[in-house]
């Protein structure tokens, strides 16, 4: 007992001691419940006061679904914008299909659709011109009066067909003197050099149709064959931009795919050098270019590994050419009435 008049501890007035076990059960229960509620709200913010004040969607997940759709529309619109910058019909078709599936506003799609229409019209015109090209009907030097082996125009792509790497993607607008050309630039320098010598000596024509740079392709040909290689090189810069609505359209830029495929380049080479589409070969690492050229009757071959020795040996057989060139003179084919294939043989 404390002496009379001594001050009492506040806890003693309420009947509570310092030990938790001495607290009334009702008080302990209230503290535990409040503590649990605080922990629950702290660990999950969505269950806090702010979340309780947020309006709940009428259907579960409706708000999230709207956000996903809006995000898909935004991505589709961005894809369309990128395709417009590329001015490529394939890219535009894919982008517009995605945009239509995600309900992108029609106002956004008007210009891309007009652009696609112009590009497709230009590609259709190129196909017609390639089909309409007339050959001169010239024959190779005859081995007999019955020999009917005709000249052929062999057109090679450059990037990843002649060259191992995609030279445009690798160097773009770098100064020409900074772009090194050596034996390692080519898929098979020795095999290609022998093939070109044999083809030229046999009276066939060689040309390059590339979306890349003319000066880089010419530098590579000069390294392989000398400066007087005599091979025509076609690039997009030779043609007006088909995406332009103006009559006086600017030229396409090298490195662009505005032309959509190689048919415009092939048609121009055919007229310039005097060949019809069935008198032409195209070897390209892009399957799309191969398919489009084949529509005009060009004997086109997809070469995803480039101009390997095996590809060039097979092409030599199709042309009825000797496997090794004779620089001092033409080794004439002994076959008469040579039958040209209409499709590239398999195997």
């Amino acid at each position: 007992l404390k002496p009379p008049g001594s001050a009492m501890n506040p806890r003693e007035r309420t009947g509570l001691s310092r030990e938790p076990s001495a607290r009334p059960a009702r008080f302990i229960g209230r503290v535990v419940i409040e503590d649990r509620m605080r922990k629950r709200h702290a660990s999950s913010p969505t269950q806090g006061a702010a979340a309780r004040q947020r309006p709940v969607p009428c259907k579960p997940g409706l708000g999230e679904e709207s956000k996903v759709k809006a995000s898909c529309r935004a991505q589709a619109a961005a894809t369309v914008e990128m395709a417009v910058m590329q001015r490529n019909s394939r890219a535009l078709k894919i982008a517009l299909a995605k945009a239509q599936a995600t309900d992108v506003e029609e106002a956004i799609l008007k210009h891309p659709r007009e652009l696609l229409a112009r590009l497709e019209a230009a590609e259709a015109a190129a196909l017609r011109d390639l089909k309409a090209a007339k050959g001169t009907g010239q024959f190779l030097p005859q081995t007999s009066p019955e020999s009917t082996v005709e000249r052929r125009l062999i057109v090679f792509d450059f990037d990843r067909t002649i060259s191992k790497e995609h030279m445009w993607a690798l160097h773009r607008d770098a100064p020409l003197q900074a772009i090194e050309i050596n034996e390692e630039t080519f898929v098979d320098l020795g095999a290609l050099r022998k093939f070109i010598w044999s083809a030229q000596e046999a009276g066939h024509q060689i040309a390059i149709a590339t979306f890349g740079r003319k000066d880089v392709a010419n530098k590579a040909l000069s390294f392989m064959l000398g400066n007087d290689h005599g091979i025509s090189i076609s690039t997009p810069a030779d043609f007006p931009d088909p995406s332009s609505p103006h009559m006086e359209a600017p030229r396409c830029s090298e490195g662009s795919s505005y032309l959509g495929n190689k048919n415009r380049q092939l048609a121009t080479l055919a007229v310039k050098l005097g060949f019809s589409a069935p008198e032409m070969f195209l070897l390209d690492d892009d399957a799309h270019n191969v398919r489009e050229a084949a529509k005009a009757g060009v004997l086109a071959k997809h070469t995803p590994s480039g101009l390997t020795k095996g590809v060039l040996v097979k092409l030599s057989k199709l042309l009825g050419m000797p496997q090794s060139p004779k620089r001092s003179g033409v080794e004439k084919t002994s076959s008469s009435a040579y039958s040209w294939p209409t499709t590239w043989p398999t195997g």
Side-chain angles (χ1 to χ4, degrees):
L1 294 177
K2 292 186 179 291
S6 62
M8 294 183 64
N9 189 298
R11 288 182 176 272
E12 292 176 347
R13 291 197 191 99
T14 59
L16 298 176
S17 66
R18 295 179 181 274
E19 292 77 12
S21 59
R23 295 176 179 174
R26 185 173 60 186
F27 183 86
I28 294 174
R30 186 182 68 190
V31 171
V32 170
I33 291 171
E34 290 177 351
D35 186 55
R36 286 177 180 172
M37 290 179 68
R38 280 195 300 271
K39 288 182 179 179
R40 185 172 61 193
H41 293 163
S43 62
S44 180
T46 59
Q47 297 176 2
R52 288 195 298 271
Q53 295 172 3
R54 188 179 301 132
V56 179
C58 58
K59 292 183 180 180
L62 183 60
E64 288 76 8
E65 183 179 354
S66 298
K67 289 181 180 178
V68 170
K69 287 184 177 180
S71 176
C72 289
R73 280 195 297 271
Q75 290 177 11
T79 303
V80 170
E81 184 178 356
M82 185 175 296
V84 168
M85 293 176 63
Q86 293 175 354
R87 299 182 224 175
N88 178 268
S89 61
R90 278 192 292 171
L92 275 168
K93 287 177 185 176
I94 295 171
L96 286 170
K98 182 178 179 181
Q100 187 172 358
T102 53
D103 298 326
V104 174
E105 296 178 11
E106 287 296 320
I108 297 176
L109 303 181
K110 182 181 178 181
H111 171 62
R113 283 175 175 156
E114 292 173 350
L115 174 59
L116 177 60
R118 288 195 296 271
L119 293 174
E120 289 182 330
E123 291 173 26
L127 179 60
R128 288 194 302 270
D129 291 346
L130 181 54
K131 286 181 177 180
K134 303 296 183 182
T136 59
Q138 294 184 11
F139 294 88
L140 296 178
Q142 296 182 348
T143 56
S144 69
E146 296 81 18
S147 178
T148 57
V149 180
E150 298 180 29
R151 299 185 314 140
R152 289 295 183 265
L153 172 60
I154 302 102
V155 183
F156 295 133
D157 174 42
F158 181 71
D159 289 318
R160 302 200 69 178
T161 300
I162 289 177
S163 65
K164 287 181 183 178
E165 303 295 334
H166 198 292
M167 299 295 281
W168 164 256
L170 195 62
H171 300 289
R172 293 192 174 269
D173 296 318
L176 182 62
Q177 61 270 23
I179 301 174
E180 183 179 2
I181 301 292
N182 54 42
E183 187 172 349
E184 293 302 313
T185 302
F186 302 84
V187 173
D188 192 325
L189 175 63
L192 181 58
R193 179 188 284 135
K194 289 179 181 178
F195 172 84
I196 292 176
W197 281 346
S198 293
Q200 289 178 331
E201 288 177 348
H204 300 298
Q205 289 270 358
I206 307 292
I208 305 295
T210 177
F211 285 164
R213 288 171 54 178
K214 182 174 292 188
D215 59 349
V216 174
N218 182 67
K219 185 174 182 177
L221 292 175
S222 298
F223 177 89
M224 176 171 55
L225 304 168
N227 293 333
D228 57 345
H229 52 74
I231 294 176
S232 297
I233 303 172
S234 172
T235 75
D238 298 330
F239 305 95
D241 183 354
S243 68
S244 175
H246 306 294
M247 293 295 294
E248 296 295 329
R251 296 280 169 167
C252 297
S253 57
E254 292 185 332
S256 71
S257 58
Y258 303 166
L259 298 177
N261 54 59
K262 296 291 177 68
N263 285 354
R264 173 52 62 199
Q265 293 168 273
L266 294 176
T268 302
L269 288 169
V271 172
K272 175 183 176 182
L273 301 174
F275 292 89
S276 65
E279 295 173 338
M280 299 171 68
F281 287 80
L282 171 67
L283 289 87
D284 199 307
D285 71 304
D286 189 327
H288 176 72
N289 294 334
V290 169
R291 287 192 299 269
E292 294 302 310
K295 292 178 181 179
V298 175
L299 189 59
K301 172 65 174 175
H302 182 215
T303 55
S305 299
L307 297 180
T308 62
K309 183 177 181 179
V311 167
L312 294 170
V313 166
K314 185 173 290 187
L315 181 57
S316 296
K317 291 179 180 179
L318 290 177
L319 292 166
M321 285 171 22
Q323 296 301 303
S324 299
K326 289 186 176 181
R327 300 301 290 170
S328 59
V330 178
E331 181 178 325
K332 299 178 178 61
T333 177
S334 60
S335 63
S336 62
Y338 184 78
S339 177
W340 286 95
T342 56
T343 60
W344 191 279
T346 59

